[in-house]
Amino acid sequence: MRIRTRITLQFSIIVSIILIIFSIIIYTLLGNFRREEFRGRLKDKALNSVKLLSDVDEISSELLQILDKNAVNPMPKERVFIYDLNKNLVYCSLENESDFVPGSILDRIVEKEELYLEFPDKEMVGFTFQGKYNQFIAVASAVDRFGYSKLYYLRTILVLGVFFSILLIILVGLFFSRQTLQPISNIVTQIDAITASNLNLRVNEGNTKDEIAQLAIKFNKMLERLDAAFEVQRSFVSHASHELRTPLTALTGQIEVNLMSPKINDEGKTILNSLLQEIKQLNKLSNGLLDLAQANLDLTEIEFHHLRLDELVGYARAELLKRNPNYSVILHFAEFPEENWLMALGNEHLLKSAILNVLENACKYSENNTAHLDISFSSRLILMTITDNGMGISEEDLKHLYLPFFRSRNVKNKSGHGIGLPLTKKIMEIHKGKIVVHSKLGEGTKVELSIPHL
């Protein structure tokens, strides 16, 4: 999960939980206030009725019923009951009322002196009252429709408010997380533009004070160290290329001249031929190492041109057969497409080296020194498949083929240095292509080279 998404999610969850808890507290407090306020109204109603009935001699039960019927703003389903301590009904606010207060509730009221009860269809308050002459039990019950309607309205507002607030929080969180992480995104974009060929570039250090700026500063210092190390390596490759190739070429020339001299006997010529082969192998190794090092150093110095792959394959095949007349390469086109399908953007020297390396390996390890090269095409790629009928490669060794100087255990008797495939892989990556090797012991090897065509 991206940091921006994680920050937004965490921020939204925290604020949403706070909003929900706050809404629950508000709803609970208002519910308690409604209950206390309605309880007070019920008690006041029962208290007025029992005072009038017990303390005012002129008020009879019939008159009190008339007063209750004509009261201003009566509560829904309002009932007032007055009992004596023997649980005899003294007064009921409605005539023909059959919904009397159970005796168990009256006992609880007498025991606690005041009792508040909630039922699904009503709320009730009961208390004992000492009148002028007798003690009474006053009970009032009603339904708080107005209070519950206010609670329902508040609940609706809170639910909708929390829902839309969470949506707003998410949008605001996305905006602020983007603003907060924008400097990091800018650094990432700048880092993407820095490669081995432009290590002189630096990322923007911003205000040089906050944590992101400190990160940029540390990264720039690391780039300076890398740039210095690459410069040393670049200088080494340049000097090594000259210092190695010049004496090797001179040695090769001197030995070849001495081989033509009539003064050298057969034994001397044998020794010189052996030295010449060793020097050629050393020259080949040094050229391969230098090519591999150069390919890893600076891609901007590699020149790309439009190339015909069929011609390039022909040049590589001809050079291989010139070096090794006993080798054989059988070339086959699956189809012969339009000319632009044969064209690719690349470096002629590097691509030819890559094809030559694979062809040479196929011929070298094949039992009859013969390799088959099949060229096919897709809507995007030119595919070159090189196969041999050699001893094959084990599954374990296939994992390490692209490590420099690695060689399979079953080819130790063959000459080679283990840099051909690593170099080929690097060249294919430079050209946005791929190399894939399929092989099994005793079944030969198939190497697929693919490169985009124009």
Side-chain angles (χ1 to χ4, degrees):
M1 184 183 294
R2 297 177 62 186
I3 294 178
R4 176 187 172 189
T5 306
R6 187 163 66 247
I7 290 175
T8 303
L9 184 61
Q10 292 174 346
F11 172 76
S12 301
I13 290 174
I14 292 171
V15 177
S16 299
I17 291 174
I18 293 174
L19 274 177
I20 292 171
I21 293 175
F22 178 75
S23 300
I24 292 173
I25 291 174
I26 293 295
Y27 184 79
T28 303
L29 290 176
L30 188 61
N32 291 334
F33 174 77
R34 180 212 64 80
R35 186 181 299 108
E36 294 298 323
E37 188 267 343
F38 191 64
R39 177 180 178 178
R41 289 176 62 191
L42 287 174
K43 186 174 181 181
D44 289 343
K45 180 64 180 176
L47 187 60
N48 287 334
S49 296
V50 73
K51 278 184 177 181
L52 288 173
L53 187 64
S54 65
D55 296 346
V56 180
D57 295 334
E58 294 78 5
I59 299 294
S60 64
S61 297
E62 292 77 11
L63 182 57
L64 187 57
Q65 283 182 344
I66 295 172
L67 292 174
D68 283 338
K69 287 180 182 179
N70 294 280
V72 180
N73 298 323
M75 295 176 284
K77 296 185 179 181
E78 180 182 297
R79 305 284 190 276
V80 177
F81 302 93
I82 300 176
Y83 293 86
D84 60 20
L85 292 182
N86 294 322
K87 303 178 186 178
N88 296 315
L89 182 63
V90 177
Y91 169 78
C92 178
S93 61
L94 295 178
E95 297 178 357
N96 303 320
E97 176 64 45
S98 60
D99 185 16
F100 300 110
V101 180
S104 59
I105 294 180
L106 294 176
D107 290 337
R108 291 173 63 188
I109 294 173
V110 172
E111 180 184 352
K112 295 187 176 182
E113 296 184 351
E114 184 173 333
L115 181 67
Y116 173 76
L117 297 173
E118 284 189 67
F119 299 95
D121 59 340
K122 63 184 176 181
E123 295 176 56
M124 179 184 292
V125 170
F127 56 91
T128 58
F129 178 79
Q130 180 63 49
K132 182 187 295 186
Y133 305 107
N134 297 306
Q135 190 172 8
F136 297 96
I137 302 172
V139 179
S141 66
V143 177
D144 189 13
R145 290 177 182 169
F146 181 69
Y148 279 114
S149 66
K150 288 193 293 185
L151 279 180
Y152 176 78
Y153 184 65
L154 175 65
R155 184 170 66 244
T156 303
I157 291 175
L158 289 176
V159 170
L160 293 177
V162 168
F163 176 76
F164 287 108
S165 296
I166 291 174
L167 292 180
L168 182 62
I169 288 167
I170 293 173
L171 294 176
V172 172
L174 286 171
F175 174 76
F176 279 104
S177 63
R178 181 180 179 182
Q179 293 296 108
T180 302
L181 297 176
Q182 189 60 46
I184 296 180
S185 299
N186 294 337
I187 290 177
V188 171
T189 302
Q190 295 168 26
I191 290 174
D192 283 340
I194 299 174
T195 63
S197 59
N198 56 2
L199 285 174
N200 59 311
L201 295 180
R202 297 292 181 267
V203 299
N204 185 8
E205 296 178 358
N207 58 18
T208 69
K209 296 180 180 179
D210 58 29
E211 290 80 358
I212 296 176
Q214 292 299 315
L215 175 64
I217 292 171
K218 296 297 183 182
F219 187 80
N220 283 338
K221 290 182 178 179
M222 183 187 69
L223 283 178
E224 291 174 3
R225 295 192 294 270
L226 284 176
D227 193 17
F230 267 73
E231 187 59 39
V232 171
Q233 187 177 359
R234 198 176 291 114
S235 175
F236 167 77
V237 170
S238 176
H239 287 86
S241 175
H242 175 74
E243 297 297 332
L244 284 174
R245 286 172 178 170
T246 300
L248 289 174
T249 302
L251 283 173
T252 302
Q254 290 177 11
I255 291 175
E256 289 175 344
V257 169
N258 284 323
L259 283 172
M260 294 184 290
S261 173
K263 297 180 180 180
I264 304 297
N265 57 26
D266 293 340
E267 184 179 355
K269 289 182 178 181
T270 301
I271 295 173
L272 289 176
N273 276 318
S274 176
L275 288 174
L276 183 61
Q277 292 304 317
E278 292 296 329
I279 290 174
K280 286 182 177 180
Q281 286 294 325
L282 181 58
N283 194 30
K284 183 179 178 182
L285 173 61
S286 63
N287 287 337
L289 286 173
L290 293 171
D291 286 341
L292 182 60
Q294 194 66 41
N296 281 282
L297 278 180
D298 196 347
L299 303 183
T300 59
E301 296 182 2
I302 300 174
E303 295 184 358
F304 289 84
H305 304 283
H306 288 176
L307 305 171
R308 277 187 62 122
L309 260 294
D310 57 335
E311 293 179 355
L312 196 62
V313 167
Y315 296 150
R317 178 175 178 270
E319 185 171 334
L320 175 64
L321 298 181
K322 181 179 178 181
R323 294 181 189 175
N324 305 277
N326 60 323
Y327 285 179
S328 175
V329 177
I330 300 174
L331 183 61
H332 176 259
F333 279 86
E335 57 179 316
F336 203 81
E338 299 178 8
E339 183 176 356
N340 61 331
W341 282 43
L342 290 164
M343 300 296 293
L345 185 66
N347 180 274
E348 181 177 359
H349 170 71
L350 292 178
L351 281 178
K352 187 173 75 171
S353 296
I355 297 170
L356 189 60
N357 285 335
V358 179
L359 286 176
E360 185 175 13
N361 283 344
C363 291
K364 182 194 302 184
Y365 300 121
S366 187
E367 292 181 358
N368 54 1
N369 298 126
T370 299
H372 294 265
L373 174 56
D374 296 292
I375 301 179
S376 58
F377 305 88
S378 70
S379 59
R380 193 177 62 89
L381 298 172
I382 302 172
L383 181 64
M384 294 169 282
T385 305
I386 298 98
T387 56
D388 64 56
N389 59 350
M391 62 192 74
I393 306 169
S394 68
E395 185 175 350
E396 182 64 28
D397 287 344
L398 280 173
K399 302 175 183 178
H400 310 288
L401 280 183
Y402 305 116
L403 297 176
F405 300 106
F406 175 81
R407 303 190 70 211
S408 296
R409 286 165 288 186
N410 57 346
V411 297
K412 297 298 184 181
N413 58 332
K414 301 283 187 178
S415 62
H417 306 96
I419 61 172
L421 284 181
L423 177 58
T424 300
K425 183 176 186 293
K426 183 62 183 179
I427 292 172
M428 299 310 295
E429 289 175 351
I430 291 172
H431 291 82
K432 298 180 180 179
K434 287 184 179 180
I435 175 173
V436 181
V437 179
H438 305 277
S439 185
K440 287 186 178 180
L441 284 175
E443 297 183 12
T445 301
K446 178 171 72 173
V447 180
E448 295 177 353
L449 302 178
S450 58
I451 183 172
H453 58 62
L454 296 180

